Protein backbone atom coordinates (compact mmCIF):
# COMPACT_ATOMS: atom_id res chain seq x y z
CA UNK A 1 0.00 0.00 0.00
CA UNK A 2 2.89 2.36 0.81
CA UNK A 3 6.38 1.97 -0.58
CA UNK A 4 9.38 4.08 0.42
CA UNK A 5 12.11 3.78 -2.20
CA UNK A 6 15.49 5.38 -1.48
CA UNK A 7 14.07 8.35 0.42
CA UNK A 8 16.45 11.16 1.23
CA UNK A 9 15.37 14.18 3.19
CA UNK A 10 17.41 17.26 4.09
CA UNK A 11 16.57 20.19 6.31
CA UNK A 12 18.99 22.63 4.71
CA UNK A 13 22.42 21.11 5.25
CA UNK A 14 21.13 18.57 7.79
CA UNK A 15 20.37 15.12 6.49
CA UNK A 16 17.24 13.94 8.30
CA UNK A 17 16.52 10.77 6.32
CA UNK A 18 19.07 8.59 4.57
CA UNK A 19 18.08 6.11 1.86
CA UNK A 20 14.90 4.83 3.46
CA UNK A 21 13.59 1.65 1.86
CA UNK A 22 10.48 0.12 3.36
CA UNK A 23 7.02 -1.11 2.60
CA UNK A 24 3.66 -1.26 4.32
CA UNK A 25 1.21 -3.81 3.00
CA UNK A 26 -2.57 -3.70 3.24
CA UNK A 27 -3.75 -4.51 6.76
CA UNK A 28 -0.26 -4.29 8.21
CA UNK A 29 0.42 -2.44 11.47
CA UNK A 30 3.88 -0.89 11.53
CA UNK A 31 5.22 0.67 14.70
CA UNK A 32 8.12 3.06 14.20
CA UNK A 33 10.33 3.47 17.23
CA UNK A 34 13.72 4.89 18.03
CA UNK A 35 15.36 7.64 20.05
CA UNK A 36 14.21 11.23 19.98
CA UNK A 37 15.49 13.07 16.90
CA UNK A 38 15.98 9.90 14.88
CA UNK A 39 13.62 11.03 12.11
CA UNK A 40 10.38 9.22 12.99
CA UNK A 41 8.13 12.27 12.63
CA UNK A 42 9.94 13.39 9.53
CA UNK A 43 9.40 10.00 7.92
CA UNK A 44 5.71 9.72 8.77
CA UNK A 45 5.09 13.30 7.64
CA UNK A 46 6.54 12.61 4.20
CA UNK A 47 3.67 10.19 3.57
CA UNK A 48 1.03 12.89 3.33
CA UNK A 49 3.43 15.56 2.11
CA UNK A 50 3.61 17.56 5.30
CA UNK A 51 7.33 17.26 4.54
CA UNK A 52 8.94 17.23 1.12
CA UNK A 53 11.73 14.87 0.09
CA UNK A 54 14.89 15.46 -1.88
CA UNK A 55 15.46 11.99 -3.24
CA UNK A 56 13.59 8.78 -3.93
CA UNK A 57 9.93 7.99 -4.35
CA UNK A 58 7.01 7.24 -2.09
CA UNK A 59 4.25 5.24 -3.71
CA UNK A 60 0.78 5.15 -2.20
CA UNK A 61 -1.73 2.90 -3.93
CA UNK A 62 0.60 3.00 -6.92
CA UNK A 63 0.75 6.82 -7.12
CA UNK A 64 3.96 8.80 -6.73
CA UNK A 65 3.03 10.95 -3.73
CA UNK A 66 5.73 13.53 -4.30
CA UNK A 67 5.34 13.57 -8.07
CA UNK A 68 4.58 16.90 -9.67
CA UNK A 69 1.16 15.72 -10.83
CA UNK A 70 0.08 14.24 -7.47
CA UNK A 71 -3.28 15.50 -6.16
CA UNK A 72 -2.45 16.55 -2.60
CA UNK A 73 -6.04 17.09 -1.49
CA UNK A 74 -7.14 13.70 -2.73
CA UNK A 75 -4.08 12.13 -1.16
CA UNK A 76 -4.75 13.71 2.23
CA UNK A 77 -8.37 12.59 2.14
CA UNK A 78 -7.12 9.01 1.65
CA UNK A 79 -4.63 9.12 4.53
CA UNK A 80 -5.88 9.69 8.07
CA UNK A 81 -3.39 11.48 10.30
CA UNK A 82 -3.48 11.79 14.09
CA UNK A 83 -0.89 14.03 15.72
CA UNK A 84 0.52 14.32 19.20
CA UNK A 85 -1.41 17.55 19.70
CA UNK A 86 -5.11 17.07 19.27
CA UNK A 87 -5.80 19.96 16.88
CA UNK A 88 -9.56 19.75 16.77
CA UNK A 89 -11.35 22.90 15.65
CA UNK A 90 -12.05 24.63 18.98
CA UNK A 91 -15.08 26.58 17.76
CA UNK A 92 -16.88 23.46 16.47
CA UNK A 93 -18.72 20.87 18.52
CA UNK A 94 -17.41 17.31 18.63
CA UNK A 95 -20.07 16.24 16.14
CA UNK A 96 -19.30 19.12 13.77
CA UNK A 97 -15.57 18.37 13.95
CA UNK A 98 -16.29 14.85 12.70
CA UNK A 99 -18.85 15.94 10.10
CA UNK A 100 -16.81 18.77 8.59
CA UNK A 101 -14.59 16.96 6.09
CA UNK A 102 -17.12 14.45 4.77
CA UNK A 103 -19.63 17.24 4.07
CA UNK A 104 -17.09 19.68 2.62
CA UNK A 105 -14.89 17.29 0.68
CA UNK A 106 -17.18 14.39 -0.13
CA UNK A 107 -20.43 16.32 -0.34
CA UNK A 108 -22.21 13.92 2.01
CA UNK A 109 -25.53 15.46 3.08
CA UNK A 110 -26.69 16.47 6.57
CA UNK A 111 -28.48 13.47 8.04
CA UNK A 112 -26.26 10.85 6.37
CA UNK A 113 -23.15 12.70 7.55
CA UNK A 114 -24.58 12.95 11.04
CA UNK A 115 -25.44 9.26 11.15
CA UNK A 116 -21.94 8.30 10.04
CA UNK A 117 -20.37 10.69 12.55
CA UNK A 118 -22.44 9.29 15.42
CA UNK A 119 -21.38 5.76 14.46
CA UNK A 120 -17.74 6.83 14.53
CA UNK A 121 -18.18 8.57 17.86
CA UNK A 122 -19.73 5.38 19.16
CA UNK A 123 -16.70 3.44 17.98
CA UNK A 124 -14.38 5.68 20.01
CA UNK A 125 -16.79 5.81 22.97
CA UNK A 126 -17.64 9.49 22.59
CA UNK A 127 -21.34 9.72 21.65
CA UNK A 128 -22.14 11.21 25.05
CA UNK A 129 -19.99 14.24 24.18
CA UNK A 130 -21.27 14.85 20.64
CA UNK A 131 -22.55 18.30 21.57
CA UNK A 132 -19.54 19.33 23.66
CA UNK A 133 -16.70 21.59 22.50
CA UNK A 134 -13.07 20.41 22.45
CA UNK A 135 -12.15 22.71 25.35
CA UNK A 136 -14.63 20.84 27.55
CA UNK A 137 -12.95 17.47 26.96
CA UNK A 138 -9.98 15.74 28.52
CA UNK A 139 -6.92 15.16 26.35
CA UNK A 140 -7.77 11.49 25.93
CA UNK A 141 -11.31 12.35 24.85
CA UNK A 142 -10.03 14.94 22.38
CA UNK A 143 -7.63 12.43 20.90
CA UNK A 144 -10.41 9.86 20.49
CA UNK A 145 -12.49 12.49 18.67
CA UNK A 146 -9.47 13.27 16.50
CA UNK A 147 -9.33 9.60 15.54
CA UNK A 148 -13.06 9.59 14.72
CA UNK A 149 -12.59 12.72 12.64
CA UNK A 150 -9.76 11.11 10.66
CA UNK A 151 -11.85 7.96 10.13
CA UNK A 152 -14.77 9.99 8.77
CA UNK A 153 -13.06 10.22 5.38
CA UNK A 154 -12.87 6.41 5.33
CA UNK A 155 -9.13 6.38 4.66
CA UNK A 156 -7.54 3.04 3.78
CA UNK A 157 -4.55 3.92 5.95
CA UNK A 158 -4.07 5.74 9.25
CA UNK A 159 -0.89 7.44 10.43
CA UNK A 160 -0.28 8.19 14.10
CA UNK A 161 2.59 10.36 15.34
CA UNK A 162 2.93 9.84 19.10
CA UNK A 163 -0.82 10.10 19.70
CA UNK A 164 -0.49 9.46 23.44
CA UNK A 165 2.66 11.45 24.25
CA UNK A 166 0.82 14.60 25.30
CA UNK A 167 -1.67 12.74 27.50
CA UNK A 168 -1.79 12.28 31.23
CA UNK A 169 -0.90 8.66 32.00
CA UNK A 170 -4.42 7.65 32.98
CA UNK A 171 -5.69 8.59 29.51
CA UNK A 172 -3.14 6.73 27.46
CA UNK A 173 -4.99 3.43 27.73
CA UNK A 174 -8.28 4.66 26.27
CA UNK A 175 -6.56 5.97 23.15
CA UNK A 176 -4.42 2.86 22.71
CA UNK A 177 -7.52 0.72 23.05
CA UNK A 178 -9.20 2.58 20.18
CA UNK A 179 -6.05 2.05 18.10
CA UNK A 180 -5.96 -1.60 19.07
CA UNK A 181 -9.57 -1.94 17.89
CA UNK A 182 -8.74 -0.38 14.55
CA UNK A 183 -5.82 -2.74 14.08
CA UNK A 184 -8.07 -5.71 14.87
CA UNK A 185 -10.52 -4.60 12.20
CA UNK A 186 -7.73 -4.76 9.66
CA UNK A 187 -6.84 -1.08 9.29
CA UNK A 188 -3.45 -0.42 7.70
CA UNK A 189 -1.53 1.63 10.24
CA UNK A 190 1.81 3.37 10.64
CA UNK A 191 2.32 4.41 14.26
CA UNK A 192 5.15 6.32 15.82
CA UNK A 193 4.95 5.57 19.51
CA UNK A 194 6.99 5.01 22.65
CA UNK A 195 4.34 2.63 23.99
CA UNK A 196 6.33 -0.56 23.77
CA UNK A 197 3.58 -2.75 25.21
CA UNK A 198 1.33 -1.56 22.40
CA UNK A 199 4.11 -2.27 19.91
CA UNK A 200 4.61 -5.73 21.31
CA UNK A 201 0.91 -6.62 21.21
CA UNK A 202 -0.34 -4.88 18.10
CA UNK A 203 2.51 -4.39 15.63
CA UNK A 204 3.06 -6.78 12.78
CA UNK A 205 6.39 -5.12 12.12
CA UNK A 206 8.62 -2.78 14.07
CA UNK A 207 10.90 -0.34 12.32
CA UNK A 208 13.74 0.86 14.50
CA UNK A 209 15.21 4.20 13.47
CA UNK A 210 18.33 6.04 14.46
CA UNK A 211 20.03 9.05 12.87
CA UNK A 212 17.66 9.16 9.90
CA UNK A 213 17.94 5.50 8.97
CA UNK A 214 15.84 2.42 9.52
CA UNK A 215 18.39 0.16 11.17
CA UNK A 216 16.14 -2.79 11.77
CA UNK A 217 12.78 -4.14 10.66
CA UNK A 218 11.53 -7.07 12.66
CA UNK A 219 8.52 -8.71 14.21
CA UNK A 220 7.93 -7.68 17.83
CA UNK A 221 8.98 -11.17 18.96
CA UNK A 222 12.38 -10.81 17.34
CA UNK A 223 12.81 -7.12 18.04
CA UNK A 224 12.23 -7.35 21.77
CA UNK A 225 14.05 -10.61 22.40
CA UNK A 226 16.91 -10.69 19.94
CA UNK A 227 17.36 -7.45 17.97
CA UNK A 228 20.09 -7.79 15.38
CA UNK A 229 21.49 -4.26 15.26
CA UNK A 230 23.75 -3.17 18.13
CA UNK A 231 21.97 0.19 18.34
CA UNK A 232 18.62 -1.61 18.68
CA UNK A 233 20.12 -3.88 21.34
CA UNK A 234 21.17 -0.79 23.30
CA UNK A 235 17.70 0.76 22.85
CA UNK A 236 16.04 -2.39 24.21
CA UNK A 237 18.41 -2.71 27.14
CA UNK A 238 17.84 0.98 28.00
CA UNK A 239 14.09 0.29 27.98
CA UNK A 240 14.62 -2.62 30.36
CA UNK A 241 16.73 -0.62 32.79
CA UNK A 242 14.00 2.03 33.01
P1 LIG B 1 11.78 12.22 15.93
O1 LIG B 1 10.36 12.34 15.52
O2 LIG B 1 12.34 10.86 15.75
O3 LIG B 1 12.04 12.74 17.31
P2 LIG B 1 12.22 14.27 13.93
O4 LIG B 1 11.80 13.66 12.65
O5 LIG B 1 11.27 15.22 14.56
O6 LIG B 1 12.66 13.13 14.94
O7 LIG B 1 13.58 15.04 13.72
C1 LIG B 1 14.70 14.43 13.10
C2 LIG B 1 15.84 15.44 13.05
O8 LIG B 1 15.50 16.49 12.14
C3 LIG B 1 16.13 16.11 14.36
O9 LIG B 1 17.52 16.28 14.48
C4 LIG B 1 15.43 17.43 14.27
O10 LIG B 1 16.08 18.40 15.05
C5 LIG B 1 15.54 17.74 12.79
N1 LIG B 1 14.39 18.54 12.32
C6 LIG B 1 13.09 18.20 12.43
N2 LIG B 1 12.30 19.13 11.86
C7 LIG B 1 13.13 20.10 11.41
C8 LIG B 1 12.94 21.33 10.71
N3 LIG B 1 11.71 21.76 10.38
N4 LIG B 1 14.04 22.05 10.40
C9 LIG B 1 15.27 21.61 10.71
N5 LIG B 1 15.53 20.45 11.35
C10 LIG B 1 14.48 19.71 11.70
MG1 LIG C 1 8.65 12.96 16.59
Amino acid sequence: MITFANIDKWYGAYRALTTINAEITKGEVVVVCGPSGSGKSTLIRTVNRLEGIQGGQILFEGHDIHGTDANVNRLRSRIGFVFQSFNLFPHLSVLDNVILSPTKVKGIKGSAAKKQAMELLDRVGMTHKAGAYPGQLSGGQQQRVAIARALAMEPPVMLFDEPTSALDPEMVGEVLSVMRGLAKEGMTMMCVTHEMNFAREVADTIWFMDAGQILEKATPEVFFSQPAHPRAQRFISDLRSH
Side-chain angles (χ1 to χ4, degrees), residues 50-239:
L50 288 172
E51 292 293 350
I53 57 176
Q54 278 69 51
Q57 247 188 358
I58 303 176
L59 299 178
F60 170 60
E61 297 180 316
H63 300 282
D64 178 2
I65 289 177
H66 291 262
T68 46
D69 58 349
N71 180 339
V72 182
N73 288 333
R74 179 173 184 285
L75 173 78
R76 294 207 176 129
S77 76
R78 303 276 299 155
I79 299 175
F81 203 126
V82 178
F83 300 85
Q84 177 174 340
S85 55
F86 321 123
N87 48 38
L88 297 171
F89 300 110
H91 59 292
L92 293 180
S93 71
V94 162
L95 183 65
D96 287 339
N97 263 281
V98 179
I99 282 180
L100 187 67
S101 289
T103 45
K104 279 216 158 155
V105 180
K106 286 193 166 173
I108 297 173
K109 296 259 160 40
S111 65
K114 183 172 172 188
K115 182 166 174 286
Q116 185 217 24
M118 288 307 286
E119 284 166 10
L120 288 169
L121 288 175
D122 186 41
R123 199 157 150 192
V124 301
M126 286 297 295
T127 47
H128 64 299
K129 293 287 185 184
Y133 285 82
Q136 301 169 312
L137 306 180
S138 72
Q141 291 175 326
Q142 289 186 54
Q143 200 60 310
R144 286 187 281 146
V145 174
I147 294 173
R149 186 178 63 174
L151 290 173
M153 293 300 285
E154 302 182 304
V157 58
M158 289 282 289
L159 311 179
F160 295 87
D161 189 1
E162 299 204 29
T164 60
S165 296
L167 299 177
D168 292 332
E170 71 270 23
M171 289 163 197
V172 170
E174 65 195 51
V175 172
L176 293 179
S177 116
V178 168
M179 292 171 66
R180 201 175 281 122
L182 274 179
K184 268 210 187 101
E185 290 163 28
M187 177 62 81
T188 308
M189 295 163 60
M190 177 175 177
C191 315
V192 176
T193 181
H194 295 290
E195 295 294 335
M196 290 298 120
N197 286 332
F198 175 84
R200 198 189 299 265
E201 280 170 48
V202 181
D204 295 301
T205 313
I206 293 182
W207 298 354
F208 174 74
M209 293 188 70
D210 191 30
Q213 291 179 285
I214 299 179
L215 297 183
E216 182 151 356
K217 299 186 194 101
T219 62
E221 293 74 23
V222 171
F223 182 75
F224 288 108
S225 62
Q226 41 186 332
H229 198 284
R231 185 67 191 84
Q233 290 165 4
R234 189 144 52 87
F235 182 79
I236 297 292
S237 87
D238 286 351
L239 284 179

Side-chain angles (χ1 to χ4, degrees), residues 9-12 14-17 34-45 51 161-162 192 194 209 212:
K9 161 79 186 171
W10 300 76
Y11 291 112
Y14 179 78
R15 191 170 197 180
L17 297 175
S36 178
S38 57
K40 306 180 298 295
S41 293
T42 301
L43 181 64
I44 202 169
R45 290 164 65 87
E51 292 293 350
D161 189 1
E162 299 204 29
V192 176
H194 295 290
M209 293 188 70

